[in-house]
Amino acid sequence: MFLEQEQDATVWLAALALFAGQHEPYLAPLLALGASHASAEVRKQSLEWFITHPNPAYGDLLTNSLLDDHVAVIHAALRALAALPELPNPRAIEELLAARDPAIRLAAAYALAAHGISPGYAALLRLAYHEEPLIRRQVALTLGELGDIRSIQELIRLLDDRPEVQLAGLAALKMLLGQDISQDPNIQARAGISPRPAGVTGNASLTCAEQCRCWKTWHQQHQARSARQAEVR
């Protein structure tokens, strides 16, 4: 293919835009070549192709990309590694849990946690206390994406955060449980939320604060129920 000898980043980026939605396996070697291009943007977009087209044969390539000088390239490599069925070198990712950039720490934590490697999940919980609201918001969404039921406690805590973090926490809780607890009339009543006028349904009828109250009420009930069950045992 003509790109094998092409050095112009503009040409590469135009080709990558065409490749983005294509799933043909024959493209993998070409995208691997792009991952070593002189342009950081070409390297990033080439690696991003492997996020939606995971291929264990290129695990070493993705791992080597963790040494890149550009944060965006490292971030893309971590996301691609997270998509693999197995991590080729978990240790290389664990080292990034100490990276200066919190976005890199978050991506590394997700890649590890997605494969059941405990330091990754622990790092996510630490990042839930990060000073930057954007990081806390992304942690909430990441916990929801992971689908680990252990995250409920932390997500409930994040409902007392800033509005943008609260919204992410609500979205994550819905992902985890597969339902929106705040729409349960019984939970609404226990949370002290007044009934809405006839014909008003859905989240549009509840403010963010009210949805948070519903989820915290549900969580308190859930904890109390679990405590009673433990006493019975």
Side-chain angles (χ1 to χ4, degrees):
M1 189 172 285
F2 74 95
L3 283 176
E4 293 176 355
Q5 304 299 323
E6 183 58 62
Q7 298 300 316
D8 191 326
T10 303
V11 175
W12 263 95
L13 292 173
L16 288 170
L18 295 175
F19 298 156
Q22 299 185 31
H23 300 267
E24 287 78 0
Y26 72 82
L27 288 174
L30 184 62
L31 274 296
L33 183 64
S36 61
H37 195 274
S39 165
E41 184 61 26
V42 171
R43 297 198 300 277
K44 178 181 81 73
Q45 292 193 27
S46 295
L47 291 170
E48 287 175 342
W49 186 85
F50 289 97
I51 298 172
T52 52
H53 310 83
N55 189 330
Y58 294 92
D60 289 342
L61 167 74
L62 299 176
T63 300
N64 291 336
S65 295
L66 299 180
L67 301 175
D68 201 278
D69 293 331
H70 290 75
V71 169
V73 176
I74 298 172
H75 192 270
L78 285 167
R79 289 170 60 202
L81 283 164
L84 292 177
E86 184 177 349
L87 293 177
N89 186 353
R91 180 59 186 166
I93 300 176
E94 286 188 48
E95 291 176 356
L96 291 178
L97 294 178
R100 176 176 299 179
D101 191 303
I104 292 298
R105 299 204 301 274
L106 176 55
Y110 172 72
L112 293 167
H115 288 84
I117 300 175
S118 57
Y121 186 75
L124 281 175
L125 297 184
R126 290 195 299 273
L127 285 166
Y129 290 86
H130 195 273
E131 61 184 9
E132 290 294 332
L134 182 61
I135 295 297
R136 299 197 301 275
R137 175 184 179 276
Q138 193 57 48
V139 168
L141 294 173
T142 299
L143 291 174
E145 186 177 348
L146 282 173
D148 192 326
I149 205 71
R150 293 177 300 169
S151 301
I152 290 177
Q153 179 75 37
E154 189 58 36
L155 290 171
I156 292 294
R157 185 189 67 80
L158 289 173
L159 297 184
D160 290 321
D161 209 305
R162 294 164 58 106
E164 63 268 31
V165 181
Q166 291 177 343
L167 288 171
L170 289 169
L173 285 165
K174 293 169 192 175
M175 280 191 280
L176 271 181
L177 270 70
Q179 60 179 313
D180 185 356
I181 295 297
S182 69
Q183 294 305 297
D184 186 328
N186 293 324
I187 294 294
Q188 291 179 6
R190 288 181 177 274
I193 297 173
S194 302
R196 291 306 193 254
V200 179
T201 59
N203 279 338
S205 67
L206 296 178
T207 65
C208 177
E210 288 174 331
Q211 291 181 60
C212 290
R213 278 166 55 192
C214 285
W215 278 97
K216 286 187 276 190
T217 297
W218 167 82
H219 186 244
Q220 289 171 353
Q221 287 184 308
H222 179 72
Q223 286 185 310
R225 189 181 307 114
S226 297
R228 289 195 298 270
Q229 292 174 346
E231 290 176 359
V232 171
R233 295 193 191 98

